[in-house]
Amino acid sequence: MTTIGNNLQGVRDGITTACAAAGRPANAVSLLAVSKTFGADAVRKAHAAGQTAFGENYIQEALEKMAALRDLPLEWHCIGPVQSNKSRLVAENFAWLHTVSSQRLAQRLSDQRPAELAPLQVCVQVNIDGGATKAGVAPAEALALCQQIAALPRLQLRGLMTIPEPHDDLAEQLAVHQLSRALFDALAQANDGEPGWEAFDTLSMGMTADMATAIAAGSTMVRVGSAIFGGRPPIR
Ligand SMILES: *Cc1c(COP(=O)(O)O)cnc(C)c1O
């Protein structure tokens, strides 16, 4: 098996272990392989090892990989910030977008999503801890944005996405992830049965360094890059 194949298996084992520890079924958490900065050959190896969902941050880089991998049935997720002049490329080329944080962007994406494609699957990014990156809506604003997305014809509201500030301390990681899960549960309960909320089932939370605590707190999708593909240069 390739190193990437071995790494993938290690991450899958980690997900299984974390789910068991949390008393959750192993299939409660899906794995998004974050391939940013790695080439099409690396994605191909991960696909050969059974991975089909891939996350990318940079639109141009992602489009190049998509073109090189047209022969494979891959599901592409955009997990990076989207400037409004890039929204059409996202609407036309990705299956998912995890970082919606404004009504204006949501409206543009719905307008631009081609009719022949399934609705764009979207998560609202929430700045759960007020972190310095400032990306995402404040927790108190998440409901309004979700409601607007639920009413847009070419978007499918799937859930929330968070990127907390890094903490080495596991208890601190867990506490922040629990806040995200509590918000996710509150929104799901308050809107149960509302039109457009049928597929609100995704809490995109946890990366290489905080995957286990994210799963303990109730993540349903972890976004893992370096544990699968190796380390990246710190600045691109
Ligand atoms: C890069 C990135 C990841 C993956 O990070 P790793 O630490 O390599 O697992 C996950 N989510 C987002 C939004 C990212 O930008």
Side-chain angles (χ1 to χ4, degrees):
M1 222 196 290
T2 61
T3 304
I4 287 173
N6 282 317
N7 290 348
L8 254 178
Q9 194 51 51
V11 171
R12 289 190 192 118
D13 291 345
I15 291 173
T16 304
T17 302
C19 284
R24 305 176 65 197
N27 64 4
V29 177
S30 62
L31 172 60
L32 183 66
V34 177
S35 43
K36 67 177 175 218
T37 79
F38 292 91
D41 53 331
V43 174
R44 200 171 279 283
K45 283 182 184 138
H47 176 263
Q51 181 68 26
T52 55
F54 292 88
E56 290 283 341
N57 292 57
Y58 311 103
I59 314 300
Q60 207 51 49
E61 178 192 333
L63 294 181
E64 285 163 26
K65 269 175 250 186
M66 288 176 193
L69 296 163
R70 287 269 179 243
D71 57 310
L72 300 182
L74 305 179
E75 183 180 88
W76 293 100
H77 294 228
C78 181
I79 61 172
V82 177
Q83 311 299 328
S84 52
N85 64 345
K86 293 281 172 59
S87 65
R88 182 177 297 279
L89 289 173
V90 172
E92 290 179 348
N93 292 285
F94 284 86
W96 283 66
L97 174 61
H98 290 226
T99 54
V100 178
S101 59
S102 79
Q103 303 212 356
R104 184 163 170 272
L105 176 63
Q107 182 68 56
R108 281 176 75 90
L109 291 162
S110 183
D111 293 345
Q112 294 169 339
R113 181 68 167 174
E116 68 273 16
L117 297 182
L120 183 66
Q121 311 293 303
V122 302
C123 292
V124 166
Q125 183 175 356
V126 179
N127 187 358
I128 193 68
D129 54 3
T133 65
K134 302 270 197 308
V137 298
E141 294 162 9
L143 173 61
L145 183 52
C146 286
Q147 283 174 329
Q148 189 231 1
I149 292 168
L152 287 171
R154 302 296 295 140
L155 301 186
Q156 177 72 64
L157 176 65
R158 293 304 300 264
L160 304 181
M161 180 271 211
T162 60
I163 314 176
E165 292 293 291
H167 291 287
D168 290 334
D169 183 74
L170 296 185
E172 288 181 46
Q173 284 182 11
L174 184 66
V176 177
H177 286 324
Q178 284 170 336
L179 289 178
S180 303
R181 179 70 203 204
L183 177 63
F184 174 79
D185 285 340
L187 293 177
Q189 273 167 28
N191 296 281
D192 187 29
E194 295 293 328
W197 287 77
E198 306 80 13
F200 190 85
D201 60 2
T202 300
L203 181 55
S204 167
M205 173 169 95
M207 322 200 308
T208 294
D210 61 352
M211 183 181 94
T213 51
I215 292 172
S219 167
T220 73
M221 189 185 291
V222 289
R223 309 177 308 266
V224 178
S226 26
I228 297 171
F229 295 106
R232 293 179 301 270
I235 297 189
R236 181 171 175 276

